[in-house]
Amino acid sequence: MKYTAIDLFCGAGGLSAGLEMAGFTVLAGNDLFDAAGDTFSATHPHAKFIGGPIQELTVERLMEATGLKKGELTVLVGGPPCQAYSVYNHQRSMFDARATLFREYLRIVDGMRPEWIVMENVTGIYSIGGGEAVRAIKSELAALGYDVEEQVLKAEEYGVPQERRRVVFIGNRVGAPISHPEPTHGPGATPYVTIRDAIGDLPSLQNGEDRGDVLYASAPSSDFQRLLRGNAVSVANHAAPKLGKVNIDRLEHIPPGGSWRDIPFELLPAGMQRAKRSDHTKRYGRMTWDGLACTVLTKCDIHWGAYIHPEQDRAISVREAARLQSFPDSFEFAGSKTEQYVQVGNAVPPLLGKAIGDHLVSLVEKSRQRAAA
């Protein structure tokens, strides 16, 4: 176990999956969400899932579960629940109890004393309290002896077929220089992974159809599909949510790249009949094969974003959302369909996690070589 990790607020394990791709051994994960814990346990067989609120998680319990002593862990990672920081939450405040959960992360940092730490959150964390949350995180980690730098990373620049922005904090207590991974995709680099690259091999579905495990519709046609399929011959969680007739009637009018503006006025919801044409640009959006997905949220609700399939008159399935998040097809999400969407939308995209993990390995190696010299 050259590089070890513990994942707090781990959810289904997207960040853990990325770290494992980079060569880390994830020893434990903690989350309050039981269905996510079932997914994490099934997809991270070498890790111990510890369920329950982080307030009840003790350092002693983590040490017992991992066999580690204080100071032996390579990296502690975690993304405290982001709803309090999100721009979608209009009641954001440092007084929101969720906004102080990072202090529980800090408590575990103090007890475990990992060499490195990684925290991720939504970009809305910059504006809450005029930047108070970011300043608090950095100052409190500094008080524990950790130098920390943060940067906004764009998931699409690391091979994820989705426009997604996340603030990633990286820090260490060993005095090593801190940097963030360089982009690998975009203009002048490897082309972005498109929606066709991501989901073009999945079988078609009718609105509301669920056929259980299904065979792929075709051989893989992109490196992304080959990577995520691995050795699988069938795929789970590919079930379309059931939309009512009024929504199906609306979808018929929306072309690829279109939105609510393409729906006849008399078919629009009452609230949107009063909306400005310049507002709500993603609502009732239909994806385009050659584009990127909008940010995958915990509900792929067509009323809130561009979650309509490029060709089929339906909302995207859990599996399609998972592909757009770069989850391997070996991940079978537990729980109800609603809980599955939540797990997918809350996750760090595994390929973004891999980019962070690969870069972290290089930083760790350089710091260890410097210490040994």
Side-chain angles (χ1 to χ4, degrees), residues 236-291:
N237 303 122
H238 186 47
K242 179 73 172 177
L243 300 177
K245 183 180 185 304
V246 65
N247 271 325
I248 293 299
D249 291 343
R250 291 166 182 157
L251 264 57
E252 294 173 357
H253 298 278
I254 305 171
S259 70
W260 70 276
R261 298 176 189 80
D262 298 291
I263 301 171
F265 181 82
E266 63 275 12
L267 285 180
L268 286 171
M272 301 197 76
Q273 290 180 350
R274 299 188 294 270
K276 294 180 181 178
R277 302 290 288 178
S278 57
D279 289 346
H280 315 302
T281 55
K282 299 290 187 182
R283 286 191 174 185
Y284 286 91
R286 189 184 290 274
M287 298 174 172
T288 60
W289 280 124
D290 296 326

Side-chain angles (χ1 to χ4, degrees), residues 3-117:
Y3 313 109
T4 55
I6 291 173
D7 191 352
L8 304 181
F9 310 99
C10 63
L15 181 52
S16 284
L19 291 176
E20 288 172 346
M21 293 177 195
F24 281 83
T25 301
V26 178
L27 297 175
N30 166 254
D31 204 280
L32 182 64
F33 188 12
D34 289 339
D38 291 340
T39 302
F40 183 93
S41 295
T43 52
H44 299 84
H46 302 295
K48 172 69 174 177
F49 177 75
I50 305 170
I54 192 170
Q55 293 93 331
E56 298 175 7
L57 178 65
T58 65
V59 171
E60 292 73 22
R61 179 79 176 88
L62 279 174
M63 289 182 178
E64 177 189 353
T66 61
L68 295 175
K69 297 182 177 66
K70 187 172 184 175
E72 292 182 343
L73 178 66
T74 309
V75 61
L76 182 72
V77 304
C82 62
Q83 289 87 344
Y85 309 138
S86 172
V87 294
Y88 293 100
N89 175 13
H90 301 295
Q91 288 81 42
R92 289 179 294 161
S93 165
M94 279 299 289
F95 297 105
D96 187 317
R98 295 169 300 185
T100 59
L101 281 174
F102 74 84
R103 298 185 189 280
E104 296 294 334
Y105 176 90
L106 296 173
R107 175 178 62 83
I108 303 298
V109 171
D110 191 30
M112 292 296 299
R113 301 296 293 170
E115 284 184 71
W116 292 78
I117 63 96

